[in-house]
């Protein structure tokens, strides 16, 4: 039981060692594993700034700061669950469709083994092949999508695949229970007057940043719960959900977002949902000189791990 856990920071300084996530063991075993941290160092789908390929390494590096007890959920996750850092999935720089195939194929054995994947991006294009893989195991899933953007554009430059089209393609490929899926935090200038209607017409529940400020987090959390219900849900977290003052290291920043503190509160608030996987995308280290975006992403992942442990504790 709980075979794999991080190195003890009281016995070994946190700046030492090879940088796996939280200094978890780096192994590709699929036995006695509840969750796997998996890097997807791809920026083949980035439409503006590039460099998200360096996201997984930056998140891993700063994750050494994370301590083993979460006082808000009041849980020491590794008392309940076993986790590994699986390393990175193979990608193909410059060839997005080939990269998609490799991500989908190489993620599948992990998901098929009943392990919850926590993927570190990478630009947001990676979520499409992740979902393809997950749906092969679970069937269509609900989506909980934190983002400044809906990522439901039909095409860019005449091409169907990039980080702005993932969820249009996901609906077309019937990967989602779209009536049970919700996009939260949308904001900023848009391509056309009716652009915000695109995700709504696809079937997503949409709550913009302005609407969140109007209704408050309690009502937002109720709306999320009502939309998703007990369905299996994949949480995709684009760091540009957070204001660029707190998360400057990203590809397409939008002002008027949420603070890192508000973000962590929100994620703790969804802990009772039936999660089957998570990703954190769009960390771009070359625009993140003080590592605060990577630090935020690492803490978001820590909350995911805490949620998984919390659910295991509830099961008894
Ligand atoms: Mn996105
Ligand atoms: Mn975005």
């Amino acid at each position: 039981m709980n075979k794999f856990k991080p190195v003890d920071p009281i016995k070994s300084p946190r700046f030492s060692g090879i940088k796996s996530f939280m200094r978890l063991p780096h192994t590709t075993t699929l036995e006695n594993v509840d969750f796997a941290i998996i890097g997807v160092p791809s920026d083949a789908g980035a439409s503006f700034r590039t460099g998200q390929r360096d996201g997984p390494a930056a998140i891993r590096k700063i994750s050494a700061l994370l301590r083993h007890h979460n006082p808000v959920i009041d849980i020491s996750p590794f008392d309940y669950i076993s986790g590994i850092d699986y390393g990175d999935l193979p990608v193909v720089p410059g060839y997005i469709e080939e990269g998609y195939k490799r991500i989908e194929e190489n993620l599948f054995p992990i998901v098929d083994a009943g392990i919850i994947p926590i993927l570190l991006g990478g630009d947001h294009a990676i979520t499409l092949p992740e979902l393809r893989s997950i749906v092969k195991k679970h069937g269509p899933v609900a989506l909980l999508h934190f983002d400044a953007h809906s990522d439901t554009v039909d095409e860019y430059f005449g091409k169907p695949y990039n980080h702005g089209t993932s969820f249009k393609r996901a609906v077309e490929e019937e990967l989602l229970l779209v009536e049970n899926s919700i996009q939260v935090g949308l904001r900023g200038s848009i391509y056309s007057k009716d652009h915000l209607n695109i995700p709504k017409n696809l079937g997503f529940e949409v709550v913009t940043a302005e609407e969140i400020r109007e209704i408050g987090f309690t009502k937002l959390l109720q709306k999320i719960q009502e939309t998703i219900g007990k369905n299996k849900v994949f949480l995709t977290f684009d760091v540009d959900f957070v204001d660029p003052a707190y998360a400057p290291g990203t590809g397409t920043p939008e002002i008027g977002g949420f603070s890192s503190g508000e973000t962590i509160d929100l994620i703790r608030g969804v802990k009772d949902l039936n999660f089957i996987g998570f990703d954190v995308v769009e960390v771009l280290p070359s625009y993140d000189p003080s590592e605060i975006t990577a630090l935020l992403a690492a803490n978001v992942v820590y909350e995911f791990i805490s949620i998984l442990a919390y659910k295991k504790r509830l099961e008894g």
Side-chain angles (χ1 to χ4, degrees):
M1 283 299 283
N2 296 348
K3 186 172 165 199
F4 297 113
K5 56 178 77 173
V7 173
D8 185 344
I10 301 293
K11 294 186 178 142
S12 157
R14 281 179 285 160
F15 53 80
S16 66
I18 295 164
K19 298 299 182 256
S20 61
F21 188 85
M22 248 187 120
R23 303 200 297 160
L24 284 163
H26 169 37
T27 170
T28 54
T29 184
L30 301 179
E31 279 167 34
N32 297 315
V33 177
D34 296 305
F35 76 88
I37 302 289
I38 306 158
V40 190
S42 171
D43 49 19
S47 61
F48 195 64
R49 298 170 176 166
T50 56
Q52 295 89 337
R53 65 180 64 179
D54 297 319
I59 298 168
R60 286 184 171 114
K61 177 172 174 247
I62 199 74
S63 73
L65 264 179
L66 294 163
R67 302 178 185 88
H68 291 193
H69 186 77
N70 184 330
V72 181
I73 301 184
D74 189 23
I75 198 157
S76 295
F78 297 98
D79 288 352
Y80 297 92
I81 53 174
S82 165
I84 59 167
D85 189 327
Y86 189 84
D88 290 348
L89 298 183
V91 298
V92 189
Y95 295 88
I96 195 162
E97 288 173 66
E98 184 58 33
Y100 277 179
K101 267 189 224 151
R102 297 195 194 181
I103 293 167
E104 179 184 346
E105 285 169 12
N106 287 280
L107 176 57
F108 186 70
I110 304 167
V111 174
D112 195 42
I115 294 166
I116 304 267
I118 303 179
L119 298 122
L120 314 177
D123 72 55
H124 219 160
I126 63 170
T127 307
L128 181 64
E130 291 167 10
L131 286 170
R132 287 174 178 166
S133 195
I134 281 165
V135 166
K136 265 195 281 182
K137 167 78 173 176
H138 293 286
V141 294
L143 185 75
L144 173 52
H145 179 187
F146 292 90
D147 203 325
H149 314 98
S150 72
D151 299 346
T152 52
V153 177
D154 187 50
E155 48 91 5
Y156 278 84
F157 328 118
K159 297 294 179 189
Y161 300 114
N162 83 5
H163 70 165
T165 64
S166 299
F167 303 107
K168 177 88 188 309
R169 296 289 94 81
V171 173
E172 289 168 353
E173 295 180 21
E174 300 181 344
L175 305 177
L176 298 178
L177 301 168
V178 69
E179 303 296 328
N180 304 106
S181 297
I182 183 164
Q183 301 188 312
V184 219
L186 278 58
R187 63 185 190 275
S189 57
I190 51 180
Y191 290 114
S192 65
K193 184 175 167 59
D194 64 348
H195 196 79
L196 266 180
N197 290 327
I198 296 173
K200 290 178 188 168
N201 291 339
L202 288 170
F204 288 100
E205 187 72 43
V206 173
V207 192
T208 66
E210 292 76 17
E211 287 165 346
I212 295 171
R213 279 192 278 273
E214 196 174 315
I215 65 174
F217 281 180
T218 306
K219 285 218 171 102
L220 172 65
L221 287 167
Q222 279 168 8
K223 207 177 187 61
I224 291 171
Q225 182 67 55
E226 282 165 20
T227 304
I228 295 169
K230 292 194 186 320
N231 291 296
K232 290 179 177 179
V233 58
F234 185 83
L235 192 163
T236 188
F237 187 88
D238 183 328
V239 290
D240 69 33
F241 171 81
V242 183
D243 193 89
Y246 299 87
T250 194
T252 45
E254 300 289 348
I255 65 151
F258 298 92
S259 73
S260 42
E262 288 169 332
T263 300
I264 290 296
D265 286 347
L266 259 184
I267 291 172
R268 288 172 182 150
V270 299
K271 66 181 186 299
D272 290 303
L273 294 174
N274 183 17
F275 292 108
I276 47 81
F278 308 82
D279 68 15
V280 178
V281 298
E282 297 285 350
V283 171
L284 206 173
S286 58
Y287 285 82
D288 193 32
S290 57
E291 301 181 88
I292 54 175
T293 314
L295 178 62
L296 170 82
N299 275 274
V300 166
V301 170
Y302 183 66
E303 295 304 321
F304 296 161
I305 293 169
S306 299
I307 287 172
L308 294 174
Y310 160 84
K311 296 178 87 68
K312 195 76 177 267
R313 183 172 67 186
L314 278 184
E315 287 165 15

